[in-house]
Amino acid sequence: MASNPTLVDALRGGIVESHHRGALAIVDADGGVHTALGDTLRPIFPRSAIKVLQALPLVDSGAADRFGLSDEELALACASHGGEPLHAQTAASMLAKAGQDPDVLECGAHWPYEDAALKSLARSGQAPSALHNNCSGKHAGFVCLGCGLAGGADRRGFLRGYVQAGHPVMQEVTAAIQAATGYDLGRTAVGTDGCSIPTFAIPLQHLAHAFARVGTGVGLRDGHARAARRLRQAVARAPFMVAGTGRFDSRVMQLLGERVFCKVGAEGVYCAALPELGVGVAIKMDDGNNARACEVVMAAVILALVKLADAEHKTLQRLASPVLKNWNGIEVGQLRPAAALRIAARA
Amino acid sequence: MASNPTLVDALRGGIVESHHRGALAIVDADGGVHTALGDTLRPIFPRSAIKVLQALPLVDSGAADRFGLSDEELALACASHGGEPLHAQTAASMLAKAGQDPDVLECGAHWPYEDAALKSLARSGQAPSALHNNCSGKHAGFVCLGCGLAGGADRRGFLRGYVQAGHPVMQEVTAAIQAATGYDLGRTAVGTDGCSIPTFAIPLQHLAHAFARVGTGVGLRDGHARAARRLRQAVARAPFMVAGTGRFDSRVMQLLGERVFCKVGAEGVYCAALPELGVGVAIKMDDGNNARACEVVMAAVILALVKLADAEHKTLQRLASPVLKNWNGIEVGQLRPAAALRIAARA
């Protein structure tokens, strides 16, 4: 396996305590490669970073309009949310609009990722449901898409097994990913994602290209281009829905609106569209770290490429070089973009 | 920075999704280097992996005997525990034996790491205290040591600031680390640990050497050799205390008793003594991952070096190649020792 460059250093006591290697691709809508740092041609599993691609058929098929989905609901369809009460309620509302109950969801249940929501749920004595799963909005979107596709048929029966690769819902979703990335998903490795749908291995350059298309509409068929625009607008209007309290994606889009669309995925993946620049960004950290490493990379890329006002610049600088504190609140270290990333981001 | 080899692969869908690089040293009590994989000479922060070294003065000074500390309490002094009720109670008991209250602890408070303990505490409506801090046993040990050192003086006044490098308690602790590792701590980088005490940068070869000494007593002065034996016995008799429910260190020592003493530290550090073989082991993962990567490395090292019965072998194999499941309990991947580690462990 290629040795990717170090993109992020974690400092303590004046030395590098740990470091994170990874690869970064920045590509325009015509497929022109602006940056290829590390191995950007090896297929990687994009995981949740491409939820906006997976939501294209929800809008393009007409299901989103038919069920009257709001900005909040469309943003949640693109989300890896923290399971906060408003997230769970919004997923339930999407299902209700399609006449479905939460038990139709096939994503599995887990405790809310967001700390206060977890403790509040524990305090209430309740167990988590599939609505708290960070993917519940995406799955509620799949259910709405499925209810649209079912036509006059028994919707509940039609939906069963919608997470399987061969189900009409997942075939629509897979076709949208293939069209946007231009990568042959029939000939690549396929894994099972945390929420049980297939995840297809795709090179970073193709993922970045897909996000350039999402940001510009160029190279997408009209329906998908309109859907991408609608979804980006929805997330910009309801950025809390795409992640949650204090989370990177929500904070960045609260600050920058439609100028950036960014989305984290499991195992250290990040994708973004920068519509003003006409480029897409795709990042994969070798070690799968997405708690700290890939956020620093994404913040450094935004800082280098997007024209920012002073206050915006300051916030992004804090996100690119966060201070690490210990249990007593004492500053013990800092994360920072490593040399290879600083040079590539300037180029 | 040197490019360390990949030690652990994380697989999904038949391909390597993420991988973890790191370095591994195995050294005997005379300082003979058996294995040096990757850069084992660069000083790294050992963090909580050396709590057994930090507890040597507690026993050697006579404080442990004076306050009648039990096996459970001595094991907790070496622990990064999950904040389960028994852990918090045992830390409180250590303090009470020295006539001190929990508010003497300077480690800071955090929510229990162990899932059920966290939810149970949340359900009770209580906030966490310093007793739930994973380091509370180590700090209770520092308090007992300090109460011994204080002699007839005002103990509470004497203890204040015990986490500072210049305090008599921390000077005893630092001297024990220096003696065991044979590394000049006056000339190396110093960071602040999560619990606010100093952490000194020490090369893996020196850390492995120290653990060979802990496992054999060779090269330690008599008082420290006796203290090391007493602490290893205590952890072998009360392995739940050193970590907690389902945790690697507790599971391994419940299974293997005094044949292995292993201890995780933050940022992907692991140290172990293998007394039967007369060697010590020290591991540092480049990316600081200690949720999964360094456990696989430690399990692979134990599998390769320690003579195991069939049932023990099976358990260690499961720990060396754990299956990854998603929220629906579906097997989605596996961790496994990478080629470089498999070859080094066989050598």
Side-chain angles (χ1 to χ4, degrees), chain B residues 85-172:
Chain B
L86 197 54
H87 297 134
Q89 289 157 22
T90 304
S93 155
M94 295 171 73
L95 295 171
K97 285 180 174 176
Q100 300 299 316
D101 292 323
D103 64 0
V104 75
L105 294 174
E106 297 184 358
C107 50
H110 66 71
W111 284 84
Y113 286 162
E114 201 270 331
D115 202 51
L118 182 154
K119 285 165 189 157
S120 161
L121 192 65
R123 212 170 282 129
S124 76
Q126 291 181 287
S129 77
L131 294 173
H132 298 100
N133 186 308
N134 75 93
C135 297
S136 69
K138 178 180 74 173
H139 279 251
F142 292 157
V143 168
C144 290
L145 170 62
C147 288
L149 294 176
D154 162 32
R155 286 177 174 180
R156 185 59 194 256
F158 179 82
L159 286 168
R160 197 158 295 128
Y162 72 81
V163 295
Q164 302 297 329
H167 191 281
V169 164
M170 214 43 59
Q171 287 192 324
E172 285 285 320

Side-chain angles (χ1 to χ4, degrees), chain A residues 32 79 83 120 145 175 178 219 254:
Chain A
S120 160
L145 170 62
Q178 171 142 342
Q254 274 157 2

Side-chain angles (χ1 to χ4, degrees), chain B residues 198-224:
Chain B
T199 181
F200 298 90
I202 302 170
L204 289 175
Q205 288 194 19
H206 284 262
L207 293 168
H209 191 184
F211 273 76
R213 288 167 159 170
V214 162
T216 60
V218 174
L220 296 180
R221 65 175 161 85
D222 285 354
H224 280 178

Side-chain angles (χ1 to χ4, degrees), chain A residues 12 18 192 196 267 286 328, chain B residues 12 18-19 192 196 267 328:
Chain A
R12 181 182 298 259
S18 302
T192 304
S196 297
E267 292 287 334
D286 290 356
N328 282 319
Chain B
R12 181 182 299 257
S18 302
H19 63 277
T192 303
S196 297
E267 292 287 335
N328 282 319

Side-chain angles (χ1 to χ4, degrees), chain A residues 6-10 18-20 285 293-294 296-297 335-338 341:
Chain A
T6 296
L7 300 183
V8 177
D9 288 324
S18 302
H19 62 277
H20 300 278
M285 305 310 297
C294 58
V296 167
V297 181
L335 304 176
R336 69 169 184 206
L341 177 58

Side-chain angles (χ1 to χ4, degrees), chain A residues 7-11 248 292-293 295-300 303 313-324 331 333-338 341-342:
Chain A
L7 300 183
V8 177
D9 288 324
L11 293 109
F248 185 95
R292 64 182 188 188
E295 290 182 358
V296 167
V297 181
M298 184 55 81
L303 265 178
H313 196 267
K314 271 186 194 149
T315 300
L316 266 297
Q317 270 187 322
R318 276 196 298 272
L319 294 171
S321 301
V323 167
L324 305 174
E331 282 193 23
Q334 190 164 28
L335 304 176
R336 69 169 184 206
L341 177 58
R342 292 198 302 271

Side-chain angles (χ1 to χ4, degrees), chain A residues 3-56:
Chain A
S3 181
N4 284 325
T6 296
L7 300 183
V8 177
D9 288 324
L11 293 109
R12 181 182 298 259
I15 63 171
V16 174
E17 180 170 32
S18 302
H19 62 277
H20 300 278
R21 292 172 183 270
L24 161 69
I26 304 176
V27 176
D28 67 30
D30 296 325
V33 178
H34 289 228
T35 301
L37 191 59
D39 185 352
T40 57
L41 295 173
R42 183 176 75 89
I44 61 109
F45 291 125
R47 310 292 300 272
S48 289
I50 58 165
K51 279 176 173 167
V52 67
L53 304 183
Q54 293 165 327
L56 292 173

